[in-house]
Amino acid sequence: MNPSTIVKLAIIPLLAFSSTNSVPQFVKASTSIATEVKAINTKTEINAWGDSMTEGVNGDGVSYPSVLAKLTGMKTNNYGVGGETSEEIMNRSLKKGDQSNDILIIEMGDNGGWDKNIDTLINQYKTIIANANTDRYIIISSTDDPNDSDQIWGYTDEAIGLEDTWYEEALEEAFGEHLLKGRQYLIKRGLAINGIPFDEDDIERAHQGLISEKLRHVEKDNTHLNSLGYTAQAYGVYELGQKLGYWK
């Protein structure tokens, strides 16, 4: 499947977790995305702020903003710059100034810039939003695996499944319904959106709280997604934006 093509998926297996014991089980779920979506306001643009995860490194030409543009039918500006810290991303957004007519999608923190103090990162997010003068925004939390000690978000080898990490919990408390829990979304829906069945390795990784290796170029690094991963992330943003009323 060409990941940049908007598809309508038939009924496919979806991995779900019991809320009581976090045991995975297969259920049936239907995912249907219209091939044509009209923006609420044709003058409204989507501004995707971030680092290399937004830029689309390792995506073979696919980034989540490029897929999101196709899903929404809206002009989507990819303001992702590889290697930038959260502070640098914030400062770039502040220089742009008023974005009150636009929708903000922000994913940052993988490269530091917040001294591993989540309150600092949350305040940086809030500064971007306040300066943009908009209440239409989505925050994407890290898609890193929590057991990856080489990455800034790595902290535990315990099997956490779909339980909140400490940073997902903190970001949800700060931003509520505006938060897309990237790691959890990719575990639950990343493969299904791309029409790929779960295998035993995927199920075991899901138990551990890790996304499928099929969604990364693991031969390159353990952080960036591949074209399938970025495509799935775009669907996560799209679905949340629908719930928030940002597009139809």
Side-chain angles (χ1 to χ4, degrees):
M1 182 188 72
N2 185 337
S4 64
T5 302
I6 302 174
V7 296
K8 181 176 292 184
L9 299 178
I11 295 178
I12 49 180
L14 172 66
L15 185 65
F17 283 78
S18 163
S19 60
T20 57
N21 57 18
S22 295
V23 176
Q25 55 185 325
F26 286 104
V27 298
K28 296 290 184 180
S30 176
T31 302
S32 179
I33 303 296
T35 58
E36 295 182 4
V37 183
K38 293 183 178 180
I40 294 174
N41 183 342
T42 56
K43 295 182 179 180
T44 297
E45 298 179 2
I46 299 171
N47 296 332
W49 294 96
D51 50 36
S52 56
M53 297 297 293
T54 300
E55 185 180 8
V57 168
N58 289 354
D60 299 321
V62 175
S63 65
Y64 92 76
S66 68
V67 178
L68 184 63
K70 292 176 170 35
L71 292 172
T72 61
M74 299 171 65
K75 180 179 179 182
T76 302
N77 302 302
N78 189 334
Y79 293 134
V81 176
E84 281 201 340
T85 67
S86 57
E87 185 175 22
E88 290 172 325
I89 295 166
M90 176 186 70
N91 288 336
R92 275 197 297 120
S93 179
L94 298 186
K95 287 181 181 179
K96 182 172 177 60
D98 185 81
Q99 300 170 66
S100 56
N101 195 49
D102 300 328
I103 299 167
L104 273 58
I105 317 294
I106 318 170
E107 178 182 11
M108 62 187 191
D110 283 352
N111 300 309
W114 46 285
D115 298 324
K116 293 189 177 182
N117 183 330
I118 195 66
D119 289 335
T120 298
L121 182 62
I122 288 171
N123 286 333
Q124 290 171 342
Y125 275 119
K126 289 182 175 180
T127 298
I128 292 175
I129 295 163
N131 188 75
N133 192 29
T134 183
D135 59 359
R136 296 186 294 178
Y137 66 90
I138 290 173
I139 305 297
I140 306 174
S141 63
S142 176
T143 57
D144 277 356
D145 294 327
N147 71 344
D148 190 348
S149 58
D150 291 334
Q151 308 302 329
I152 197 167
W153 303 105
Y155 76 101
T156 182
D157 289 323
E158 295 181 5
I160 63 172
L162 293 179
E163 295 178 11
D164 284 346
T165 62
W166 63 270
Y167 46 88
E168 290 165 345
E169 182 178 358
L171 290 171
E172 182 173 43
E173 182 177 351
F175 300 109
E177 64 181 2
H178 293 269
L179 177 67
L180 173 65
K181 298 177 183 178
R183 176 190 67 91
Q184 294 186 28
Y185 185 87
L186 291 184
I187 290 173
K188 290 186 290 185
R189 304 205 59 189
L191 293 178
I193 283 170
N194 288 284
I196 302 173
F198 290 90
D199 60 26
E200 291 183 4
D201 182 65
D202 298 322
I203 294 173
E204 176 57 31
R205 288 184 64 83
H207 271 300
Q208 297 295 318
L210 319 177
I211 74 170
S212 170
E213 290 188 341
K214 298 181 180 71
L215 302 177
R216 300 193 199 276
H217 273 307
V218 292
E219 72 279 5
K220 296 182 179 180
D221 63 56
N222 294 324
T223 292
H224 297 97
L225 305 175
N226 59 22
S227 59
L228 302 177
Y230 289 128
T231 295
Q233 182 169 314
Y235 273 79
V237 174
Y238 176 75
E239 290 168 6
L240 180 54
Q242 277 188 316
K243 292 180 182 178
L244 294 173
Y246 296 165
W247 42 72
K248 295 183 180 179

